[in-house]
Amino acid sequence: MDKKTLRQDMRAQLAQMSKAQYDAYSLQIHEQLLRESSIKKANVIGLTISAFPEVNTMPLIEKLWTQGKRVAVPKCEPKTRAMIFYEITSFDQLETVYMQLKEPIPTLTKEVPKEEIDCLIVPGVVFDRFGYRVGFGGGYYDRYLVSYNGERITLAFEVQLIHKVPTDQYDLPVHKIITETSVINCLEYRKESQSVDENSI
């Protein structure tokens, strides 16, 4: 199945999730994430302002603020498909742009260089345990990740995991996927799978 079809099918499936399930699962994912050592050590965390049915990041941002973390969110540049992250300290520093997405207002926020972001929460629609993802089709994160060297984590509902997503040569996997029921170490999963493949030759 191609990426476009996978994306459409998963979005339709997620849209059937009840508000109660959505809130409960998002909360469980937040709690799992906040227990991660990479988050505890991080000073600056980059993540998007979610839109339903993505894992809700608004309450997560509030929790990160209470822990003294700096939070950086991206502003997309449609012409170049680039992203620039800005630190926000209040949701009042956001504006609604195309497709009802919320982004930082540059004049009210401070730009955060890529090398200052310790951990990046990478969004998407469909994922596999190898760490590969089907994004929203814009290619913004694919471009950003090429020169990003920090920790890459994805937050996802368990239903968003499939056996294998189609990949292109430019696709870069995340290090971990956190769902409402598990924490998947994608690097270890790739190593184990490679070992199994080699032993079966």
Side-chain angles (χ1 to χ4, degrees):
M1 194 179 294
D2 61 59
K3 288 185 177 183
K4 183 178 180 181
T5 305
L6 277 172
R7 187 182 298 117
Q8 291 174 339
D9 288 354
M10 185 58 71
R11 294 190 79 154
Q13 191 172 346
L14 288 169
Q16 297 174 16
M17 188 184 303
S18 71
K19 182 68 164 58
Q21 279 183 314
Y22 172 74
D23 289 339
Y25 290 166
S26 290
L27 178 60
Q28 290 168 21
I29 291 168
H30 299 165
E31 291 172 346
Q32 297 252 53
L33 175 71
L34 294 172
R35 286 195 288 265
E36 286 294 305
S37 60
S38 57
I39 294 296
K40 290 180 179 179
K41 294 175 184 175
N43 180 37
V44 182
I45 296 165
L47 75 172
T48 57
I49 303 297
S50 61
F52 185 84
E54 297 174 82
V55 174
N56 191 358
T57 59
M58 300 286 271
L60 174 60
I61 290 171
E62 292 177 325
K63 291 176 183 176
L64 292 170
W65 281 336
T66 64
Q67 294 184 2
K69 306 294 184 184
R70 293 173 59 202
V71 174
V73 298
K75 182 168 183 61
C76 298
E77 302 292 341
K79 288 184 179 179
T80 60
R81 297 295 175 95
M83 291 191 303
I84 300 174
F85 279 77
Y86 295 86
E87 181 180 358
I88 63 168
T89 56
S90 165
F91 293 133
D92 292 335
Q93 296 169 327
L94 300 173
E95 63 181 342
T96 302
V97 292
Y98 57 92
M99 296 178 66
Q100 298 303 302
L101 297 175
K102 292 185 181 296
E103 292 187 345
I105 302 170
T107 55
L108 300 181
T109 52
K110 176 186 175 184
E111 184 177 338
V112 180
K114 186 177 295 188
E115 57 272 15
E116 286 187 17
I117 299 175
D118 302 304
C119 183
L120 189 63
I121 308 299
V122 182
V125 184
V126 187
F127 309 92
D128 63 29
R129 287 172 171 77
F130 298 95
Y132 291 100
R133 54 187 270 280
V134 175
F136 292 89
Y140 290 94
Y141 272 86
D142 293 322
R143 289 173 173 80
Y144 195 84
L145 291 174
V146 169
S147 57
Y148 176 73
N149 298 316
E151 182 83 359
R152 303 189 297 268
I153 297 177
T154 276
L155 308 180
F157 298 112
E158 195 73 27
V159 70
Q160 291 176 270
L161 294 174
I162 65 171
H163 176 65
K164 188 78 175 69
V165 301
T167 57
D168 297 306
Q169 60 181 10
Y170 57 78
D171 288 330
L172 294 171
V174 297
H175 300 123
K176 284 185 179 178
I177 299 173
I178 297 178
T179 75
E180 68 272 19
T181 61
S182 59
V183 175
I184 301 162
N185 187 321
C186 303
L187 181 60
E188 288 300 318
Y189 191 83
R190 292 197 297 274
K191 285 181 179 177
E192 290 171 6
S193 298
Q194 185 177 10
S195 177
V196 170
D197 290 342
E198 289 173 350
N199 290 336
S200 63
I201 296 175

